[in-house]
Amino acid sequence: MTVAKRPRPPSRWRFVLVAAVTPLVLAVLVGWTGAEYTRSVAAQEAAARSVLRERSQMLLLSAVKDAETAQRGFLLTGDPAFLGPYAPARATTTRLRALPGVASPLAARLIDIKFAELDRTIALYRAGDIAAARREVASGRGKRIMDQLRDAVADDSVTERARSSERSAAFAHYRDEFYWLLTVTGAVSSMALLAIMIALWRSRWERYEAARVAHDVAERNAAILASTTDTLLIVNPSGSVEMVNDAGCALLGYTAAELEHRDLSTVLRLGEGSGDFHARIGLRDGRLVRSFLPDQAVRRRDGSAVIVDVSIGVMRVRDGDHLVLSLRDASERARIERAKDELISTVSHELRTPLTSVVGSLALLRAGVRSDWTPQAQRLIDIADNNARRLIRLINDMLDIDRIESGQLTMARDTLDVRAVVAQAALDAEGLARSRDVRLRNVPANTPVMALGDGGRLLQVVTNLLSNAIHASPGGANVTLSTYAAASRAVVSVADRGPGVPAALRQRLFRRFQSQRQDGTGLGLAISREIVRRLDGSIWFEDRAGGGTQFLFDLPLIQPPGVVAAIDGALPVVLHLDDDPDLRETVAVALAGVATILPAASLSAARAALRGGAPSLALLDMQVVDGHGPELIPELVDGDGRALPIVILSGQDVPAVLAARAAVVLTKGRHGMADVVETVRRLLAAREEEV
């Protein structure tokens, strides 16, 4: 990767040159202004033309008088020679009145009236009516018209003379202002030019500083790119590599010069084919369809391949959208994932199985005659039971979060009465409530509240909410569980009288690691939300009047199914395959009176037991000492060749293909002995009815 050349500061000599040229520019400006002044002299000529118009007005009046004199001489003497000046005077009058500004509308009208009077008297005289002609003259009408014309022309002359004076004064004023403006303009222009020069200098210097900072940033970015351990490739809109960092050169075996400007397909088969590269890569409207591509093979220079995870970003620049590809070696991730899977497998098999035995045994002990135990012994049993369950919850929460993140959290869709789930949760929480001096009140609906769901998962949700409520409640307080139907929804409520949810925690309460409990994992509410959401429900909390909090969740309500038939006659036989002796004993005690347990620690022992006759049902663990429990499924048939009901009871995840072959899948640590007993009862009753 190369860095652009460091920018240079602006040259001072250029600005000195501009400053020297400035006076020349101003001189040109002054010369142009002088030329404008010369043109303004034309205004003076306009004043002269005004004087000429005043003279023409006098000539106009004189021409009319000449015409009147010719008319009077003719009328007095009858000699036509007196009319000689009449026609020229009239022509002069016509010419002068046609000049702009010489004759006002009043003067022009009076001239027309005057010549009409002259023409009429001359016509009367020529017609022989000399007396009428002389009476017309003697009437004085012509004299009055002439007086009016003289006054009109005099007024026009006065107006024109005043206008001429105004124009001369205006010209003088304009000339003085023009010179003043020229002086001010020169001064302002000089100051403006100086300010512009200063601003330009500052601008150029700021650009230099910005370029220098950009260069420094580019150097730092180059250093960062050179030191990063991930391969970085910048690809232009045509699909060619524009830049590769040092880590990329080390991974791919190319030098930067060898790889830059070559097609991306040289090292990575991404967006191959013809046509627009952005369309092939999935870039639409500046956004990528997929920005993360795991487990991609890149070809090194020597022909070998390396598996990497590819993250793609979009860099918008002037010449189009460029792609920034980050390639991370996936071998370490694969190793970590394998280690995590191994840890989860160990936790599932090695911890949950013995813990299930412990919890089951303690539950059976607590269910015995309480008078057989001293208070101290009962207290120790409660402590052991609470802590064993806490450890199981911790393990289950860790595994559930892993399944949620990997998309492997599975949900059953069984028809169940939500009241039974809540009742079981209340029963399981009695020991915890007693230890904290909290009273539990279960208020179920009077009729079945049926929903489709996973009984074990819903029990986990109610248990989480109930545990939180008990821990939040002060000694002597009540925690109330309610189950009811509302608006086609099955609703479960857990209400406490604790301090409530702090305002700072309300927006993120259902996120991971937000628990305020010292003994909590911080995962319970996040897992509960995922479980309820995947069962098409919702979960929320409300403040209670008088203090405390009420947590609620709902599920779609369905109609209750028919009642499962009871078991009659002798106890059926149940094959229990599990390599943990404590769990086998716990299951046998829990199912006492329900079924006769046929225990087996291995596949070989189970097959030996099957030779004595087919059981009515089989409980299988996923993994035993000599194989996997589901291997036994093909052999689990009755005398008529019908498949027996299979219950997989395991601490491991059950693949979907195996889960489909079982009637029910129960998870150790998540489903308690009550779930095992209820499931066995239901399946045996169904088989009895079928038989």
Side-chain angles (χ1 to χ4, degrees), residues 307-621:
I307 302 300
V308 297
D309 293 335
V310 181
S311 296
I312 309 176
V314 180
M315 181 174 65
R316 315 207 78 169
V317 293
R318 289 184 178 181
D319 59 342
D321 292 342
H322 288 53
L323 299 181
V324 180
L325 277 61
S326 174
L327 281 57
R328 173 166 293 185
D329 193 335
S331 57
E332 179 65 15
R333 176 179 58 80
R335 186 190 66 78
I336 293 174
E337 288 183 352
R338 286 195 302 270
K340 183 190 70 173
D341 292 342
E342 291 172 0
L343 175 62
I344 291 175
S345 177
T346 300
V347 169
S348 299
H349 189 67
E350 301 299 334
L351 293 181
R352 291 212 296 191
T353 296
L355 283 172
T356 301
S357 300
V358 171
V359 172
S361 299
L362 291 172
L364 293 174
L365 288 175
R366 293 174 60 188
V369 181
R370 302 185 67 86
S371 60
D372 295 343
W373 303 99
T374 64
Q376 293 83 357
Q378 183 63 48
R379 174 61 178 163
L380 292 176
I381 290 175
D382 289 343
I383 291 174
D385 181 68
N386 290 337
N387 283 279
R389 292 179 183 276
R390 177 184 172 190
L391 186 56
I392 287 178
R393 286 197 302 272
L394 175 61
I395 295 170
N396 289 338
D397 287 349
M398 291 171 56
L399 297 175
D400 284 341
I401 285 295
D402 181 73
R403 292 189 185 100
I404 290 171
E405 291 179 345
S406 61
Q408 297 177 356
L409 184 67
T410 57
M411 291 286 169
R413 292 281 181 160
D414 300 325
T415 301
L416 49 85
D417 189 342
V418 181
R419 298 179 305 170
V421 176
V422 174
Q424 182 62 48
L427 181 63
D428 293 342
E430 282 183 356
L432 175 63
R434 235 184 355 259
S435 68
R436 299 186 67 87
D437 191 24
V438 173
R439 294 185 296 272
L440 296 183
R441 294 180 61 247
N442 186 15
V443 185
N446 295 326
T447 57
V449 180
M450 308 303 296
L452 283 178
D454 187 314
R457 293 293 182 183
L458 289 176
L459 180 62
Q460 179 183 0
V461 173
V462 180
T463 301
N464 276 334
L465 299 181
L466 192 53
S467 176
N468 290 342
I470 292 172
H471 280 87
S473 298
N478 290 335
V479 171
T480 304
L481 294 88
S482 303
T483 309
Y484 55 91
S488 302
R489 308 290 288 183
V491 183
V492 175
S493 164
V494 179
D496 63 59
R497 287 298 182 186
V501 180
L505 196 60
R506 288 174 175 265
Q507 298 299 322
R508 49 188 175 87
L509 184 62
F510 289 97
R511 299 178 187 173
R512 292 184 292 171
F513 306 114
Q514 300 300 322
S515 173
Q516 299 185 97
R517 288 171 45 190
Q518 297 297 322
D519 61 342
T521 65
L523 301 172
L525 289 178
I527 295 171
S528 297
R529 180 181 63 175
E530 288 298 324
I531 292 173
V532 172
R533 282 181 175 178
R534 298 188 185 209
L535 293 175
D536 304 322
S538 56
I539 185 170
W540 69 98
F541 70 91
E542 301 171 352
D543 294 329
R544 295 186 68 190
T549 307
Q550 181 180 19
F551 280 82
L552 306 99
F553 71 89
D554 62 7
L555 300 171
L557 190 67
I558 62 172
Q559 295 299 321
V563 180
V564 178
I567 302 175
D568 295 323
L571 294 179
V573 177
V574 173
L575 173 65
H576 183 202
L577 173 61
D578 198 295
D579 57 5
D580 185 86
D582 294 335
L583 184 60
R584 292 198 304 272
E585 184 176 353
T586 301
V587 170
V589 174
L591 290 175
V594 177
T596 300
I597 301 301
L598 190 62
S602 63
L603 288 175
S604 58
R607 290 189 174 100
L610 289 176
R611 286 194 287 270
S616 299
L617 181 145
L619 276 170
L620 305 179
D621 192 6

Side-chain angles (χ1 to χ4, degrees), residues 66-88:
D66 290 344
E68 184 183 39
T69 300
Q71 177 250 12
R72 292 290 189 270
F74 174 69
L75 294 181
L76 291 174
T77 64
D79 185 1
F82 281 95
L83 291 178
Y86 185 82

Side-chain angles (χ1 to χ4, degrees), residues 1-6 215 218-219 222:
M1 176 179 176
T2 58
V3 180
K5 187 178 180 181
R6 177 179 287 274
H215 181 271
E219 284 187 334

